Amino acid sequence: MSLHIKSVRVDLAGNTVLRNVDIILPEGETVAVVGRNGAGKTTLLRSIMGLVKLTSGQLLLDGRDIGTEPVYLRAAAGFGYAPEDRVIFPTLSVVQNMALPCEVQHVSKREIAQRIETVLAAMPQLKPMLPRSGAALSGGQGKMVALARALMVGTRFVLLDEPFQGLAPVVARQYGDSLRALRQSHPHLCVVITESNASLLEEVQSSTLYIERGYVTADRLDVLHNPPPMDMALTA
Ligand SMILES: Nc1ncnc2c1ncn2[C@@H]1O[C@H](COP(=O)(O)OP(=O)(O)O)[C@@H](O)[C@H]1O
Ligand SMILES: [Mg+2]
């Protein structure tokens, strides 16, 4: 089981932001996507979620193209997303913040309770925070809650946009520990983590991809020495 991002191109406002992206995201892996600001990391995650329209290409989930399906169907297919600017609802408690995306999907109360238990197994430090108001969280705690919330719907894929950015070192280590614990509690889950600063990654990834000017490759040197031609998109 995997997601094959096949020959994907995304144009935004007349610019090609993703070009010829051809990668496979396999279950059970933690894939880091490393690239500088403006490389296309957020756009890649947003295209997987359906928040950005593909100009061409396919997203093959176990062979079925979900590339034109609306966001809610992708969430229902088990995709969870924690955007860079995590939005924690301040008027809701932490546990309500976690349950919300499942409620939107009409997941049963019993299933929601079960998922919360599973998430807490990987992130026990969240337990005492559950009744707390979303407004009372520190930046680091907010990132933890955003991860937990993404895991509530992301039963197959969890996409984390620069989660380590701005975390104090001790919180970053905790966050890294939670991601490693997920490997035990969610062995089939595919976690995708973008980062502009690879040294922040806490060695959580099982593989690393590099993104440069919208082109994704497993081999960093290739990209640096043979940058894809800028007009590739025009001939695609
Ligand atoms: N909605 C948009 N409209 C036009 N251009 C965009 C839009 N979103 C992103 N871009 C451009 O796409 C490129 C990649 O952006 P982004 O995916 O946010 O990169 P990253 O997350 O790696 O910093 C940038 O050049 C950015 O200016
Ligand atoms: Mg970004």
Side-chain angles (χ1 to χ4, degrees):
M1 293 213 280
S2 66
L3 179 71
H4 184 177
I5 302 175
K6 192 176 177 194
S7 309
V8 160
R9 169 175 155 190
V10 170
D11 294 348
L12 293 174
N15 296 312
T16 299
V17 176
L18 295 180
R19 58 192 80 233
N20 262 12
V21 175
D22 216 302
I23 53 177
I24 290 177
L25 300 174
E27 70 169 29
E29 299 265 340
T30 300
V31 181
V33 179
V34 174
R36 69 189 78 178
N37 283 335
K41 302 180 295 298
T42 298
T43 306
L44 177 65
L45 300 189
R46 287 174 58 83
S47 342
I48 296 172
M49 284 309 292
L51 296 162
V52 160
K53 201 166 165 280
L54 305 185
T55 303
S56 59
Q58 294 178 308
L59 297 178
L60 298 172
L61 179 63
D62 306 331
R64 182 174 66 93
D65 186 12
I66 60 160
T68 54
E69 283 186 356
V71 185
Y72 74 91
L73 279 182
R74 297 199 211 185
F79 287 76
Y81 174 46
E84 201 176 352
D85 49 349
R86 64 199 167 73
V87 185
I88 302 299
F89 297 102
T91 54
L92 300 182
S93 68
V94 167
V95 71
Q96 286 170 331
N97 264 284
M98 285 171 66
L100 187 65
C102 289
E103 288 165 359
V104 170
Q105 279 181 43
H106 306 293
V107 176
S108 74
K109 279 207 158 54
R110 207 175 129 198
E111 171 73 18
I112 292 176
Q114 246 163 30
R115 289 191 194 179
I116 289 174
E117 282 309 308
T118 317
V119 170
L120 290 178
M123 309 179 73
Q125 69 274 29
L126 274 185
K127 233 174 231 169
M129 284 161 48
L130 291 181
R132 226 178 274 175
S133 146
L137 302 175
S138 71
Q141 290 168 335
K143 290 245 187 174
M144 294 281 186
V145 174
L147 169 60
R149 191 170 55 187
L151 283 167
M152 291 292 291
V153 280
T155 51
R156 299 189 60 187
F157 294 89
V158 167
L159 315 175
L160 308 172
D161 202 3
E162 305 211 39
F164 290 102
Q165 227 30 259
L167 291 188
V170 62
V171 184
R173 267 195 301 279
Q174 263 191 19
Y175 195 96
D177 288 343
S178 298
L179 290 175
R180 274 184 288 271
L182 280 180
R183 290 274 63 98
Q184 311 297 319
S185 60
H186 299 58
H188 299 292
L189 185 71
C190 175
V191 182
V192 180
I193 304 175
T194 69
E195 208 40 270
S196 50
N197 181 353
S199 67
L200 296 178
L201 279 168
E202 295 285 330
E203 295 170 18
V204 290
Q205 73 270 42
S206 51
S207 65
T208 304
L209 298 170
Y210 298 92
I211 182 165
E212 180 94 30
R213 285 188 291 151
Y215 187 74
V216 183
T217 172
D219 186 349
R220 180 190 188 84
L221 290 175
D222 244 0
V223 176
L224 294 179
H225 295 309
N226 301 304
M230 285 310 283
D231 61 356
M232 184 183 276
L234 299 176
T235 58

